Amino acid sequence: MANVITRKRNGKWEYRFEGAKIEGKRKQFSKSGFNTKKEALEAGNKALAKYNQTGTVIQPSEIGFSDFLDLWYESYCKNNLKPATLTNYQKKIRLHLKPALGMYKLKSLDPAKLQQFITDKFNEGYSRNTLSVIKGILSNCLSYAVEPMKYLENNPMAFVKLPFKRVEPKIKSRVSPHVFIPKEKITEIFERFPEGSSTHIPLMFGYKCGLRLGEAFAVAWEDIDFESRKLSVNRQVQWREKDGDTPGYWFFTKPKYDSVRVIDLDEGLVSLLIRAKEKQERAKVFYAEEYIHNYEASDHALNQVGNGKPIDLVCVRESGEFIQPRTIQHTCRVIHGSMNYPEFDFHSLRHTHCSMLLEAGRHRNMFKSV
């Protein structure tokens, strides 16, 4: 049976023991830097016991946390997570984790440092939902550092908690409450962005159907049953950030919370959509081979190069070019500024739609989380 031996080197103590033979040679395990012989012997016995249980000696890794995040993202996340989750993780890593924690070594991330990071984010006004996602990313990646990577013995996030709900942050929450848009403001908005403008139909989908932003821009003609006046909501469009040499792109995924559903359309919206479809059909004839067609690839990426199955989207320009959800940013700036309504955001259309349905007697339980 292997025994732990100690010796003094350069003023510090070192432990050493032998492991199993590999190709006829015994592997040596050692670590130095201990102040006393007792400390070295205790650490060596602990390492030997761990080795006898698993065949592996866990030593704190010298890898930086920023590099480890990249390693975890490439080796685990890309092979196990959905594109929408990857996009969310990538954004949180870039904006929050690397700037605050990326300069530390992986082994130096202790519960106190990580708890302070979460508390600081809370006091900066980030929502509990954002904090929960960030905490989940940290927990998952540091769990990966324990197993299978064996860079750490324990996950320091096991001891980190979110602030209690009753605690108030030092800075007001960054989350703006969604407002109910009064009828007169709705009228003004649709007068400013009338039929034919690029965001008129998406705004109508938000107001009259309660669609979220990504859902409104992902509606295809196949989702609309004009005869029964029904709209099937079964996808949303999301942006995938640039990843290395791979440029960013739009892709389709299931609606938030997997809230696939069928929505009744009123006569006015049906008439609007019929006119829009007829206009698109005329544009296809006019542009002929120059008309831009959209496709959904096997990985659900939206493209215009014929990769995958054709998808006939509602929200396209006269040439067939996809109208991106980012166009709503300009719409919001106009509504906030020249229309003097800073409370507006696209999700307030959904909030207004749900409020009107509740007033009409529809039960709250029929709605998915907003």
Side-chain angles (χ1 to χ4, degrees):
M1 179 181 292
N3 294 313
V4 177
I5 60 174
T6 59
R7 64 175 177 172
K8 199 169 186 178
R9 297 183 62 190
N10 301 321
K12 295 289 184 178
W13 285 87
E14 176 191 75
Y15 74 71
R16 179 182 297 273
F17 64 87
E18 290 185 344
K21 288 184 178 181
I22 300 177
E23 296 181 352
K25 297 181 180 180
R26 287 194 176 274
K27 181 174 176 60
Q28 296 282 333
F29 295 96
S30 65
K31 186 179 180 182
S32 61
F34 299 97
N35 292 322
T36 66
K37 180 179 180 179
K38 181 180 179 181
E39 289 179 1
L41 186 60
E42 288 178 349
N45 285 328
K46 184 178 180 181
L48 177 59
K50 188 73 175 179
Y51 174 79
N52 288 332
Q53 289 177 353
T54 66
T56 303
V57 175
I58 297 178
Q59 295 182 353
S61 175
E62 294 296 318
I63 189 173
F65 186 52
S66 179
D67 287 345
F68 178 73
L69 283 169
D70 292 339
L71 182 155
W72 173 69
Y73 184 84
E74 291 292 328
S75 61
Y76 176 80
C77 296
K78 282 188 173 181
N79 295 316
N80 293 279
L81 303 180
K82 296 179 180 179
T85 305
L86 285 175
T87 297
N88 191 19
Y89 276 28
Q90 191 178 46
K91 184 177 180 180
K92 296 296 189 296
I93 290 170
R94 175 172 54 85
L95 295 180
H96 300 288
L97 300 187
K98 284 192 174 182
L101 301 172
M103 77 289 295
Y104 296 113
K105 289 183 178 180
L106 175 65
K107 68 180 182 181
S108 72
L109 293 178
D110 57 20
K113 190 181 277 107
L114 294 167
Q115 182 67 70
Q116 188 61 53
F117 167 72
I118 292 294
T119 302
D120 289 345
K121 288 296 175 183
F122 172 73
N123 285 324
E124 289 170 14
Y126 288 97
S127 69
R128 290 188 66 84
N129 181 63
T130 297
L131 294 178
S132 181
V133 173
I134 291 173
K135 182 175 180 290
I137 294 173
L138 282 169
S139 296
N140 291 338
C141 75
L142 292 175
S143 177
Y144 190 76
V146 177
E147 291 289 347
M149 300 305 294
K150 301 187 183 300
Y151 286 165
L152 300 175
E153 286 196 52
N154 301 294
N155 185 345
M157 282 301 294
F159 307 97
V160 176
K161 309 294 183 184
L162 292 179
F164 290 118
K165 291 184 179 180
R166 64 176 178 271
V167 178
E168 291 292 330
K170 294 180 179 179
I171 298 176
K172 186 178 179 181
S173 175
R174 294 165 178 256
V175 176
S176 300
H178 303 303
V179 300
F180 177 87
I181 307 172
K183 181 66 175 178
E184 59 271 17
K185 279 296 182 182
I186 285 291
T187 300
E188 289 181 30
I189 290 170
F190 285 112
E191 285 178 350
R192 176 60 182 79
F193 298 95
E195 182 176 351
S197 59
S198 59
T199 55
H200 181 78
I201 289 179
L203 289 170
M204 278 291 183
F205 280 148
Y207 177 58
K208 291 198 171 186
C209 301
L211 268 59
R212 302 178 180 91
L213 180 64
E215 295 170 346
F217 284 85
V219 176
W221 291 116
E222 66 185 30
D223 303 323
I224 301 170
D225 186 335
F226 287 103
E227 185 174 346
S228 62
R229 294 182 181 176
K230 303 285 186 182
L231 168 62
S232 297
V233 182
N234 49 51
R235 73 177 74 82
Q236 63 173 326
V237 65
Q238 296 285 306
W239 176 252
R240 178 77 180 272
E241 296 287 345
K242 178 182 178 182
D243 189 1
D245 295 331
T246 304
Y249 60 89
W250 294 101
F251 68 94
F252 297 108
T253 186
K254 289 184 178 180
K256 192 174 183 179
Y257 309 119
D258 289 337
S259 53
V260 174
R261 57 203 187 277
V262 177
I263 296 172
D264 294 325
L265 304 176
D266 67 22
E267 184 176 353
L269 185 52
V270 169
S271 297
L272 170 67
L273 292 171
I274 289 174
R275 292 193 296 273
K277 186 168 180 23
E278 291 173 345
K279 182 178 178 180
Q280 280 192 28
E281 294 303 321
R282 291 195 297 270
K284 289 178 182 178
V285 174
F286 177 79
Y287 283 91
E289 67 274 8
E290 298 298 323
Y291 189 82
I292 299 171
H293 294 275
N294 293 287
Y295 299 85
E296 180 181 0
S298 58
D299 62 354
H300 306 295
L302 172 63
N303 68 92
Q304 292 77 39
V305 294
N307 180 14
K309 65 178 182 179
I311 182 166
D312 205 4
L313 296 168
V314 172
C315 295
V316 297
R317 303 188 188 281
E318 184 181 67
S319 63
E321 178 188 2
F322 174 57
I323 298 175
Q324 300 183 8
R326 290 170 178 166
T327 57
I328 290 294
Q329 294 176 2
H330 169 72
T331 299
C332 288
R333 285 195 294 269
V334 172
I335 296 173
H336 296 165
S338 61
M339 296 181 64
N340 194 30
Y341 192 43
E343 299 85 359
F344 174 86
D345 65 3
F346 188 90
H347 206 84
S348 289
L349 294 168
R350 174 175 168 81
H351 179 80
T352 303
H353 172 79
C354 294
S355 298
M356 291 190 300
L357 289 181
L358 288 171
E359 289 178 1
R362 306 293 284 273
H363 197 274
R364 182 179 296 274
N365 289 340
M366 71 176 292
F367 304 115
K368 296 288 185 180
S369 173
V370 297

